[in-house]
Amino acid sequence: MSRVIVASEYQWASFKNQTDLIVKVLAENGFQPILAKKYLTQKHRDPNQNVIIFGSMISHNTKRHAQLFSFYGPTRIAYLVAEGPVDQNFHPPSLYSRYITIANSEFSKANLEASGFRVDGYIHHAIDLDLIRKARTDPMKFDRPKERFTWFVYTAQTGVRKHPETFLEAFRIAQRKTDYSIGLMAISALEPYLKPDDKHIINHARFGTLPYDYVLRFIAGGDYYLHLTKSESFGLPALEARALGKPLVAVRMPPTTEFIPEGGAFWVPFKEVKAVGGYGFMEFLIHEYDVKEAADMIVQAHETRWKYNSEYEDMRQKQLERIEEYHYKNLYKQFADLMK
């Protein structure tokens, strides 16, 4: 049985989920995966091993893994994440020349290529549809403070890419326009951005502290997923919402437009794109949008939920169309095929 060393930033929630699925599909296709962390504790190491490096270009760990395993083989794959231009002084493209380089989206691929990298293709992030189906049949129940109350949910980190202060401003405007008939429930770290007089805006739990099946049930309990982040390399929670049949309010930006159907979201246009320094190794491409336009889309989503329920149900069905393509057994089999 061929062995595969999987080098991943395993401590990050999204990377952990995807690493687990990659490891699982490799095992199901006849390989023996071993995490790099465990492999490196062995006294005797055989460089004649297949390798997959999985990481973001904002991380020094990605570079460290690329250096460490660049002479391993016979097959080397680098599955790379890039939200913007990469610093070539820190990540010299030549370091990755020995690898089959795969991006996690067309958007990441374009960012890497613009930074001088050779990119052989892209493979979107995958989901476990078996877990998704369980969550759909057992969604979390949120109390509705009044009749025809709409819950929006958000499950992601905060920070320079997410800009929670912007989407919270838009949400507060929409709340006033709807006489506080909408609420936002989050698994995140919104506390520093909340105001004393905020109503129906609740940080349910800290991001990364809950079991994954709980998070899926949480998304399944909402009416909409609020995806007004400004920079993503993919945006896994948006895909999870799609698989759970939840329409989005989202910025019409790549890579969200790559995997969310046109009819599956209320789209907010972006006005301009700014390159903002990330963590020194890569810039983030920030998609700026108008908060009033975003508020109008949130209001429209709320009205559709209760006044035009058939349209709301149509949006839910559009989200579910062709979702089988994103099942990890289908999508991540490409990694196993590259190893053969």
Side-chain angles (χ1 to χ4, degrees):
M1 180 180 290
S2 299
R3 298 182 75 190
V4 182
I5 301 167
V6 182
S8 170
E9 299 170 8
Y10 204 67
Q11 70 273 18
W12 290 10
S14 57
F15 281 108
K16 182 181 186 305
N17 291 338
Q18 298 308 297
T19 301
D20 288 344
L21 295 180
I22 291 172
V23 167
K24 193 172 180 179
V25 78
L26 288 171
E28 290 172 349
N29 281 271
F31 293 90
Q32 183 183 359
I34 180 172
L35 290 174
K37 185 177 180 180
K38 182 177 180 181
Y39 172 81
L40 294 173
T41 63
Q42 298 177 353
K43 291 182 179 180
H44 303 288
R45 304 170 192 163
D46 179 6
N48 190 35
Q49 306 285 355
N50 301 294
V51 177
I52 292 182
I53 294 170
F54 177 24
S56 170
M57 304 309 279
I58 63 171
S59 173
H60 62 85
N61 283 331
T62 303
K63 179 181 180 179
R64 182 172 67 88
H65 288 149
Q67 291 172 321
L68 189 62
F69 295 110
S70 63
F71 289 95
Y72 278 56
T75 304
R76 295 176 294 271
I77 299 172
Y79 187 32
L80 302 180
V81 171
E83 292 95 338
V86 177
D87 185 343
Q88 296 179 45
N89 293 319
F90 184 83
H91 286 291
S94 60
L95 177 61
Y96 300 84
S97 62
R98 290 175 175 267
Y99 291 86
I100 299 171
T101 301
I102 306 294
N104 69 329
S105 64
E106 291 182 80
F107 181 64
S108 280
K109 181 176 183 290
N111 290 329
L112 289 164
E113 289 176 335
S115 302
F117 287 74
R118 186 205 75 247
V119 184
D120 301 288
Y122 69 91
I123 298 175
H124 280 160
H125 286 328
I127 48 178
D128 186 337
L129 285 180
D130 295 328
L131 284 178
I132 292 286
R133 291 186 188 101
K134 290 180 181 178
R136 287 181 62 192
T137 59
D138 185 26
M140 196 164 293
K141 306 297 184 184
F142 299 143
D143 291 334
R144 298 188 190 269
K146 59 188 343 184
E147 287 188 26
R148 299 194 171 191
F149 186 91
T150 302
W151 277 114
F152 294 77
V153 292
Y154 174 77
T155 57
Q157 300 181 48
T158 57
V160 66
R161 293 191 299 115
K162 308 297 184 177
H163 282 255
E165 67 277 9
T166 307
F167 70 68
L168 285 173
E169 182 183 354
F171 200 80
R172 292 180 185 114
I173 294 171
Q175 281 188 315
R176 293 192 291 271
K177 289 187 174 185
T178 59
D179 191 26
Y180 291 90
S181 294
I182 63 174
L184 175 63
M185 191 79 72
I187 296 177
S188 185
L190 294 184
E191 289 90 346
Y193 305 95
L194 300 182
K195 297 180 179 180
D197 59 346
D198 275 337
K199 185 178 180 181
H200 306 320
I201 300 178
I202 302 167
N203 200 90
H204 179 75
R206 299 282 292 186
F207 182 75
T209 63
L210 299 170
Y212 186 53
D213 58 344
Y214 184 102
V215 176
L216 293 178
R217 291 182 57 237
F218 180 89
I219 298 173
D223 299 296
Y224 292 96
Y225 189 86
L226 192 69
H227 195 60
L228 293 178
T229 62
K230 294 185 178 182
S231 178
E232 296 284 355
S233 70
F234 184 75
L236 184 60
L239 178 62
E240 292 164 346
R242 174 186 168 182
L244 290 163
K246 299 300 171 181
L248 277 66
V249 175
V251 181
R252 189 188 290 277
M253 68 178 192
T256 309
T257 51
E258 293 181 32
F259 62 90
I260 296 298
E262 174 66 23
F266 290 91
W267 296 102
V268 178
F270 64 87
K271 301 297 184 183
E272 59 178 326
V273 181
K274 297 179 181 177
V276 176
Y279 299 97
F281 314 140
M282 184 188 72
E283 293 183 310
F284 297 126
L285 293 181
I286 303 297
H287 297 74
E288 300 286 357
Y289 59 87
D290 184 274
V291 292
K292 292 182 179 179
E293 288 185 328
D296 288 342
M297 287 295 102
I298 294 170
V299 171
Q300 187 176 338
H302 164 66
E303 291 178 345
T304 299
R305 171 67 179 88
W306 299 106
K307 294 181 180 179
Y308 309 100
N309 190 253
S310 62
E311 292 183 19
Y312 175 74
E313 292 300 326
D314 285 346
M315 293 184 75
R316 295 189 63 193
Q317 289 305 310
K318 284 185 174 67
Q319 289 286 66
L320 295 174
E321 290 176 2
R322 300 175 63 180
I323 196 61
E324 290 287 340
E325 295 176 7
Y326 286 91
H327 191 32
Y328 77 92
K329 291 186 179 181
N330 298 328
L331 208 51
Y332 284 163
K333 188 177 182 298
Q334 296 176 71
F335 288 122
D337 291 341
L338 288 170
M339 292 289 176
K340 295 175 180 178

